[in-house]
Amino acid sequence: MTSCFFSAYMCKSPRPTYNQLEYSAPIIYLSSLNRCGRSCRLRWLNYLRPDIKRGNISHEEEDLIIRLHKLLGNRWSLIAGRLPGRTDNEIKNYWNTVLKKKVQARSVPLTNLKCLNHDEKERKSKSKTEVQAPPFENPARRSEAELSSNHYGNQNVHKNEKAIMIDDLAPESSSLAPQDYDLWNLLAGFNTDSLCLLDFEFVELLGDNIQQDIEDCNNGKLCAFFDENIFCSRGMFENGIGTDQIQSYGSLDLGSLATFFESES
DNA sequence: AAGTTCTTCAACCGCCATATG
DNA sequence: ACATATGGCGGTTGAAGAACT
């Protein structure tokens, strides 16, 4: 194959594309092979591009893929955009061959998630070195001391990350549905370092309903529970929505949040 | 060693969006 | 405004190698 590519002649795309990256990369046409420009483009994007990261997908990348997939669904290009050097095709293949099975195997029945308080107490009674965080553990349920000690697997918890205690948001008397805990675990599981990769357009997620969602947010119907490092500083909520409004914890409504996330996935 | 099954992943396909003439 | 070319994307396929019998 390599020799074939050496014998290929290269030319510029017949016309400029709107994508600067694409335009900067010459499209290779192979006269001796049955390769159209499209095939060559794919070959370039998925294999030949110099910035492709080789080697196995790391544990951190794997974890991020799982989280992003749960958030975004099969939007491989979006997911790949958060993993520098990885292609959507690679991630798609990795998901279909490896991660899908892993996730299915380790998925915890939702009803068990209600027992987080009990689990947490039990974990705290054990030595920290023995603690193995379960998948999608909610770091917000950890104390600030635990966060700063950064014992949560390999994740690097940003020192500015706030440990928003779920008890502050959802008192025992509230009736969080199991699926809400599940979503909470997913979202709160992102640390700041991971979220620097999560700069996908929030507008896209919210779609045409963004204005209504912002109004709901102002009215306290839709309660945002992320710290300012996540959304506000990244300008995801513009139009005058500030940190204090984002962090309106008056009435926790994870169901609403789940709805608009799930509606896009 | 040979045949079969399983796994991986590059490549293909079809659809839709966008750019261009 | 329209037709055509191209890009982008997700689903699927099939060849090749690994693992198993």
Side-chain angles (χ1 to χ4, degrees):
Chain A
M1 189 53 159
T2 309
S3 58
C4 293
F5 267 92
F6 278 134
S7 66
Y9 67 89
M10 300 169 70
C11 64
K12 284 284 183 183
S13 174
R15 65 180 184 213
T17 66
Y18 54 90
N19 183 318
Q20 192 56 42
L21 176 66
E22 284 298 296
Y23 185 51
S24 65
I27 292 178
I28 307 168
Y29 291 93
L30 302 179
S31 58
S32 58
L33 298 172
N34 279 331
R35 302 287 183 191
C36 62
R38 195 173 185 175
S39 294
C40 295
R41 174 187 158 272
L42 207 63
R43 178 74 174 168
W44 170 266
L45 287 176
N46 287 333
Y47 195 78
L48 297 173
R49 227 171 39 179
D51 57 332
I52 296 284
K53 191 194 271 187
R54 309 286 177 186
N56 295 335
I57 290 181
S58 68
H59 180 76
E60 288 76 17
E61 287 176 312
E62 191 175 288
D63 193 53
L64 189 55
I65 291 169
I66 292 171
R67 292 172 192 279
L68 287 170
H69 183 270
K70 188 151 189 176
L71 189 64
L72 301 169
N74 293 358
R75 295 157 117 183
W76 306 116
S77 59
L78 264 180
I79 295 173
R82 313 305 146 192
L83 290 141
R86 302 295 187 186
T87 67
D88 54 352
N89 206 36
E90 184 180 12
I91 290 169
K92 180 173 60 184
N93 284 333
Y94 192 68
W95 175 268
N96 286 330
T97 58
V98 179
L99 289 183
K100 191 150 71 172
K101 297 168 196 165
K102 273 193 186 179
V103 168
Q104 283 169 354
R106 77 178 188 182
S107 65
V108 180
L110 288 176
T111 47
N112 291 351
L113 292 168
K114 279 250 181 183
C115 307
L116 283 174
N117 266 332
H118 176 260
D119 294 345
E120 177 69 8
K121 284 172 190 170
E122 224 176 42
R123 276 201 306 279
K124 278 181 178 175
S125 69
K126 295 179 180 176
S127 161
K128 278 189 177 179
T129 55
E130 293 171 355
V131 170
Q132 188 68 38
F136 304 127
E137 182 195 23
N138 175 11
R141 297 187 66 82
R142 290 170 279 138
S143 68
E144 298 223 31
E146 283 176 315
L147 280 173
S148 59
S149 71
N150 188 21
H151 80 292
Y152 182 51
N154 293 326
Q155 293 192 18
N156 298 316
V157 178
H158 196 283
K159 60 182 176 184
N160 292 329
E161 181 183 8
K162 284 183 181 176
I164 305 171
M165 303 306 291
I166 197 166
D167 290 341
D168 297 339
L169 308 178
E172 292 294 330
S173 57
S174 79
S175 53
L176 271 184
Q179 64 267 26
D180 290 342
Y181 273 115
D182 198 35
L183 182 80
W184 170 268
N185 287 340
L186 164 70
L187 292 170
F190 287 111
N191 62 40
T192 309
D193 287 341
S194 294
L195 278 158
C196 71
L197 302 172
L198 263 177
D199 57 351
F200 56 82
E201 292 295 328
F202 217 65
V203 173
E204 186 191 343
L205 276 173
L206 295 176
D208 295 334
N209 296 325
I210 185 167
Q211 285 301 334
Q212 186 59 49
D213 287 325
I214 288 172
E215 285 172 23
D216 287 348
C217 184
N218 281 329
N219 296 334
K221 291 181 196 170
L222 178 69
C223 179
F225 51 88
F226 305 94
D227 74 279
E228 67 273 17
N229 290 326
I230 297 174
F231 285 156
C232 299
S233 66
R234 303 192 66 78
M236 288 180 174
F237 275 94
E238 295 177 352
N239 304 318
I241 305 298
T243 301
D244 53 342
Q245 289 157 303
I246 290 296
Q247 294 184 324
S248 165
Y249 303 135
S251 60
L252 185 67
D253 187 0
L254 286 174
S256 300
L257 197 62
T259 301
F260 78 70
F261 270 110
E262 286 172 355
S263 69
E264 289 291 329
S265 59

